[in-house]
Amino acid sequence: MKTQDCAIRLREETGKIFIGKEKQVELIIMSVFAGGHVLLDDLPGSGKTTLIKTMSRALGCEFRRIQFTPDLLPSDILGMTVYDRQSGEFRLVKGPVFTHILLADEINRAIPRTQSALLEAMEEFQVTIDNETLPLTEPFFVMATQNPVERESTFKLPAAQMDRFFVRLSLGFPDRAEEVKMLSELGDSIDFSAVNVISSPEELMEIRAEIQSVHISEPVMQYIVELVQRTREDAALKAGASPRASRCLYQGGKSYAAMQGRDYVTPEDIQAIFLPVLGHRVQVTAEAKYTGKTEQQVLEAILESTPVPPDKGAMFNGAAAEK
């Protein structure tokens, strides 16, 4: 499958600059192939920006970066209409959002008004400037970073915006062997030119079309719904995950299966992406937090206690299902 081949080559090229964290890299690729946005939530210096720049280059997509600050305005992201003295007319100056991959660096440093400028772009893949609605470039992804520890001059992302991110990931620190390799190969400088372009925007759109043809059986869809429903019924959570979460598990499961070279989704595919897809969409209650429970612990318990559909092999195979 084209999806599997592209995923393998993308991992190889990313590994030239970004050492280790294969699982996180795989989940980012899954999100990109599914057309989703990514939030990297980690400490400064953990390689968030480096990873995004490396992957953008390998994908062959146009890439723009915005450093979010408290004085950043929505027009700095979307663009604005300006008066042209020579022509005597107003003309549109497009902002950096008109690109394939937009790096929103330290997104939680911008005021809520500026953060909200991305809501329409992330959900509807369009923006409205002075009452004119403009479509964004296809494909379009937001890859954002934020520091989860620092609180000075930061503004918490609203739930509506968090829900628009396909996955939230934390890279964490490298282990000793990975850090030694990083110093050995990249200690003096980072040569992004060593990364080969292995894809293109057009090929990504073809991959999306291939992913849409991946079969997902009725039992697996029921499994997705049951997992999400249980987040809404768990007393330890303030509110359950939205229907958008179900769609992300559905789309992510297809993308993950295609990356493994399969044309059908298994329950194991859903389990592999459940925590990163759902983790940022739920919150524990004050009572649960007081007892030491975390969102991850609650979701892990839901995953473990939810009955898994019997894996009959061909039962999940799209070709077999059509017969």
Side-chain angles (χ1 to χ4, degrees), residues 14-157:
T14 302
K16 293 179 179 179
I17 301 295
F18 192 80
I19 309 298
K21 308 303 176 186
E22 290 83 4
K23 182 61 177 179
Q24 289 91 331
V25 170
E26 183 177 49
L27 289 169
I28 293 175
I29 295 173
M30 178 272 294
S31 302
V32 169
F33 286 175
H37 311 292
V38 176
L39 177 62
L40 295 181
D41 196 349
D42 220 325
L43 297 172
S46 57
K48 302 184 296 293
T49 304
T50 299
L51 173 57
I52 294 172
K53 288 178 65 177
T54 304
M55 194 166 291
S56 300
R57 179 177 175 84
L59 287 169
C61 292
E62 183 182 2
F63 168 81
R64 293 190 182 182
R65 173 183 178 181
I66 304 175
Q67 184 65 50
F68 277 59
T69 56
D71 60 348
L72 192 74
L73 298 175
S75 58
D76 295 325
I77 301 172
L78 306 180
M80 66 182 79
T81 53
V82 298
Y83 181 71
D84 190 330
R85 291 184 178 181
Q86 292 183 345
S87 65
E89 298 177 348
F90 285 92
R91 63 183 179 85
L92 174 66
V93 178
K94 292 182 176 181
V97 74
F98 290 90
T99 186
H100 292 127
I101 297 178
L102 179 68
L103 169 56
D105 215 357
E106 295 185 295
I107 189 173
N108 57 331
R109 287 197 177 277
I111 60 175
R113 177 189 174 196
T114 302
Q115 292 177 6
S116 65
L118 285 175
L119 289 175
E120 183 182 15
M122 294 175 69
E123 178 64 17
E124 302 174 52
F125 300 96
Q126 64 182 31
V127 296
T128 302
I129 304 174
D130 292 340
N131 296 321
E132 182 181 359
T133 300
L134 304 169
L136 294 175
T137 308
E138 287 191 326
F140 171 74
F141 313 99
V142 173
M143 294 194 179
T145 70
Q146 70 172 2
N147 179 352
V149 176
E150 196 169 26
R151 290 291 178 261
E152 295 181 1
S153 300
T154 61
F155 303 86
K156 185 179 179 180
L157 294 181

Side-chain angles (χ1 to χ4, degrees), residues 19 174-187:
I19 309 298
D175 60 32
R176 287 178 171 80
E178 291 172 345
E179 197 157 4
V180 168
K181 185 177 180 181
M182 180 192 72
L183 293 176
S184 175
E185 298 181 4
L186 307 170

Side-chain angles (χ1 to χ4, degrees), residues 232-254:
R232 300 167 187 167
E233 299 166 356
D234 198 303
L237 298 177
K238 291 181 182 178
S242 69
R244 185 186 285 122
S246 300
R247 291 188 68 243
C248 288
L249 286 173
Y250 176 92
Q251 295 166 347
K254 284 189 168 190

